[in-house]
Amino acid sequence: ALFFAASPASAFPGPDSVAVLASGDVAESTALADAYAKARAVPERQVCKIPGIPQTDDISLSDYQTKVLAPFEACLTSAGVHDRIEAVVVMRGVPLRVAVPVSSGTNNVSLAAALAVWESTLASGDGGGGPLLGQEPGTIVNCGSPCYGAAWNNPLESLAGPFKAGFTVTSGGVNWKPLLVTMLTGRSQSDAQMLLDSAMAAEKNGGAKGTFLFMDGADSARGVLDSDFPTVVSQLKALGYTDAQEVPFDSNLTGQTLASFFVGTSSLGQTIEGNTYLPGSLVDNLTSFGAVPQNFAASGESQVSIARWVEKGVGGAHGTVDEPLNNVFPRRMLIVDYVKGAPLAEAYFRWLPYQYWKNLVLGDPMLVPYAKRPVVTLSGLADGATQSDATTITASATDSSGAGIAHIALYVDGV
């Protein structure tokens, strides 16, 4: 039996709670970080351009800890913003995977998943109190024969309200203190920039006004989430999105204008390039290698590259950076949360079955095109003017959703 429940979502995170991680030695990475911060009004002190990050797709755990994580934490701490960060967006130019030591050698997790662990620690056992990062990310499971599968259940699946900075919960032997981590990347710098452009256009448009398409998997292994489709389609229609439909698998379905696309297949023909993917559209393909490093190279492909959807202007996409098994993909209910007003990062992450694994979400974590935004008014200041003496500033907000205004916060130079 399946039970879906989702409360009305609020729009978190925001410019005050998102940090940017870029490679300080890669001009394109820092330029993308600057473009993101400018477009999203992220305070400069929350933009961390870390020098010395290895320019490789893969990075060892020790190098990740010393050359990425430690300087990133130091950047946030010295800026005085560490405790208010709830989401991180990683720029192209930062490694894609972290090789974690396991009993049989190493096993890759996405760098985004390693960073999302953040300050989570073990709650019990021999390693009680120690960091979760560095523990084996998986365990031996039975998939017809012994294989290596995800081990750490996602604590956000039971989250009752919006995810916020400082979230903690003890679950599954872990004292969880996670972050929401996404990435802006693609086959090229311009493709990575398109993820930001798609987000900004989607919010201007008030969402993607197209078809929410759910295509049956090409085979039973990749169709394990097809059972979600009838419930998701029904709930979207109840919310007023009547152009939501489940269709049989068709590698070459074309001519659609899409607000979302979910499928499971190891190969896909013209169904990517032959359709229009609207700004802010979300996609996910249940297959093993959608986000492996070679799928972000200038050419070539292993199974179906999620970079092909980035080139088409989607707002967000999910894939895995190594063989994950088919039980780790996000439940399709994520699109219902998204159209109710949840931001991209929370829509994806609260429906992932596991954390600290091979999952990678591409897109702007703040992307929230369907939210009913309050209107904020400032008086006492003129836009673009230089203020040279004391003045009284009045801030007010009105709300169109009926929920009311919870609080108003005013930031000056990021403080």
Side-chain angles (χ1 to χ4, degrees):
L2 300 178
F3 174 74
F4 294 123
S7 59
S10 299
F12 293 91
D16 60 305
S17 63
V18 171
V20 180
L21 171 60
S23 175
D25 301 325
V26 179
E28 287 187 341
S29 188
T30 60
L32 186 59
D34 289 339
Y36 181 85
K38 180 179 180 181
R40 284 307 201 181
V42 175
E44 183 179 355
R45 65 185 64 208
Q46 291 166 210
V47 180
C48 298
K49 303 171 182 176
I50 308 299
I53 296 177
Q55 300 307 297
T56 56
D57 292 322
D58 297 333
I59 186 173
S60 68
L61 176 64
S62 59
D63 276 353
Y64 167 74
Q65 290 170 319
T66 58
K67 297 179 180 180
V68 180
L69 181 59
F72 179 59
E73 290 180 321
C75 171
L76 300 180
T77 300
S78 64
V81 300
H82 178 282
D83 292 344
R84 78 178 192 221
I85 299 302
E86 60 178 313
V88 180
V89 55
V90 180
M91 300 293 109
R92 186 172 186 266
V94 175
L96 197 65
R97 306 190 297 195
V98 177
V100 179
V102 299
S103 56
S104 58
T106 60
N107 196 270
N108 292 320
V109 301
S110 71
L111 184 140
L115 184 55
V117 168
W118 197 227
E119 296 176 348
S120 302
T121 59
L122 298 178
S124 59
D126 294 338
L132 174 59
L133 181 67
Q135 301 297 314
E136 285 210 22
T139 187
I140 299 299
V141 298
N142 182 11
C143 44
S145 60
C147 53
Y148 198 68
W152 305 95
N153 291 324
N154 181 12
L156 301 184
E157 281 192 303
S158 60
L159 185 64
F163 180 85
K164 298 181 182 180
F167 169 85
T168 59
V169 66
T170 298
S171 173
V174 178
N175 296 317
W176 289 98
K177 190 174 181 182
L179 294 173
L180 307 178
V181 184
T182 68
M183 192 171 190
L184 300 185
T185 193
R187 293 191 187 275
S188 67
Q189 177 76 357
S190 60
D191 284 356
Q193 173 73 41
M194 284 176 64
L195 287 164
L196 172 59
D197 296 342
S198 179
M200 303 306 292
E203 293 183 357
K204 182 178 179 180
N205 296 340
K209 298 173 177 62
T211 301
F212 293 83
L213 193 65
F214 303 89
M215 182 178 284
D216 295 337
D219 53 70
S220 58
R222 294 178 177 86
V224 293
L225 292 179
D226 292 0
S227 59
D228 287 359
F229 291 164
T231 300
V232 173
V233 168
S234 175
Q235 293 202 21
L236 287 172
K237 289 183 176 180
L239 291 168
Y241 299 94
T242 56
D243 195 3
Q245 54 184 288
E246 180 179 0
V247 298
F249 180 77
D250 182 351
S251 183
N252 293 299
L253 178 67
T254 61
Q256 305 289 314
T257 300
L258 299 176
S260 73
F261 180 62
F262 293 85
V263 69
T265 180
S266 61
S267 63
L268 204 54
Q270 289 303 306
T271 298
I272 298 179
E273 287 75 17
N275 294 298
T276 297
Y277 291 83
L278 294 171
S281 56
L282 300 189
V283 302
D284 185 25
N285 176 27
L286 198 160
T287 196
S288 297
F289 302 132
V292 294
Q294 57 263 46
N295 279 344
F296 296 104
S299 62
E301 184 176 39
S302 178
Q303 294 187 357
V304 183
S305 171
I306 61 173
R308 290 171 63 186
W309 277 293
V310 175
E311 291 173 326
K312 290 293 293 180
V314 300
H318 165 268
T320 50
V321 300
D322 209 340
E323 174 58 59
L325 302 188
N326 68 354
N327 63 335
V328 306
F329 286 77
R331 300 298 295 268
R332 286 19 187 153
M333 191 68 183
L334 74 90
I335 195 66
V336 176
D337 278 8
Y338 184 60
V339 301
K340 283 183 175 181
L344 173 144
E346 187 173 325
Y348 273 108
F349 278 92
R350 72 182 299 147
W351 290 99
L352 283 172
Y354 297 92
Q355 288 218 22
Y356 189 31
W357 195 233
K358 305 171 188 300
N359 305 82
L360 175 65
V361 175
L362 302 186
D364 176 3
M366 280 190 269
L367 172 56
V368 57
Y370 297 94
K372 296 179 179 178
R373 295 175 176 272
V375 177
V376 179
T377 303
L378 286 176
S379 62
L381 291 175
D383 191 23
T386 299
Q387 184 65 25
S388 58
D389 56 5
T391 190
T392 298
I393 301 168
T394 302
S396 61
T398 56
D399 172 45
S400 61
S401 72
I405 302 297
H407 71 279
I408 298 174
L410 177 66
Y411 288 84
V412 179
D413 292 334
V415 178

